[in-house]
Amino acid sequence: MDVIRLLGIRDTPLSVDEVMAAVGDHAAGGTAVFVGTVREQDGGRPVTLLTYSAHPSAEEHLRRVAEKVAADHQATALAAVHRVGDLRLGEIAVIVAAACPHRGEAFDACRRLIDDLKREVPIWKHQIFADGDAEWVGACD
């Protein structure tokens, strides 16, 4: 069975339950999950709305990121989903998960998966602030 169990860029709400079900594995002694949500402030400025946009190749980039994590860690299962479109405060923007034989490996693989996703997958965030100002933030450095 493929270690990469679930990948996606979606314009519909994300489910932690779906991600957890995807990475469920009897060979795993530890599962680490990261859930990124829309927060009310960025840099001390009140945020009212985020809009995420993705390049058409974003899922291909996401697969390459997950493949690298799978190759470098002893993961038994990986999952990563990212939302696009308009998101309000508290909504889930991204979920990544890694299941591994041991908890330390799971934490390491999960951290690497979210960090590399943010660095390498062409997804951009448009922040709208309470004062009407806005800015684009590249989730892909």
Side-chain angles (χ1 to χ4, degrees):
M1 180 180 276
D2 190 9
V3 170
I4 302 167
R5 306 278 178 84
L6 175 66
L7 293 177
I9 308 294
R10 301 180 177 170
D11 62 0
T12 56
L14 305 180
S15 166
V16 174
D17 290 339
E18 178 191 22
V19 171
M20 287 297 296
V23 297
D25 193 301
H26 293 300
T31 301
V33 179
F34 172 80
V35 179
T37 57
V38 178
R39 64 182 176 266
E40 65 184 356
Q41 290 194 19
D42 188 29
R45 299 173 68 192
V47 172
T48 59
L49 176 73
L50 294 183
T51 300
Y52 282 96
S53 301
H55 190 274
S57 68
E59 277 196 40
E60 295 167 28
H61 287 271
L62 182 55
R63 176 157 295 279
R64 282 196 292 274
V65 162
E67 287 170 348
K68 288 182 204 172
V69 172
D72 292 346
H73 294 274
Q74 293 183 14
T76 61
L78 296 173
V81 289
H82 202 297
R83 180 97 182 264
V84 292
D86 292 343
L87 282 81
R88 305 264 177 227
L89 296 179
E91 287 191 273
I92 298 173
V94 63
I95 307 169
V96 300
C100 296
H102 303 284
R103 71 176 175 271
E105 296 163 339
F107 284 126
D108 292 345
C110 186
R111 173 102 190 205
R112 167 96 181 274
L113 188 53
I114 187 60
D115 287 350
D116 288 0
L117 182 159
K118 298 294 277 179
R119 186 173 32 258
E120 298 178 29
V121 179
I123 298 172
W124 303 277
K125 175 173 63 175
H126 189 222
Q127 299 189 116
I128 311 298
F129 296 100
D131 64 5
D133 196 15
E135 73 178 356
W136 283 94
V137 180
C140 180
D141 295 337

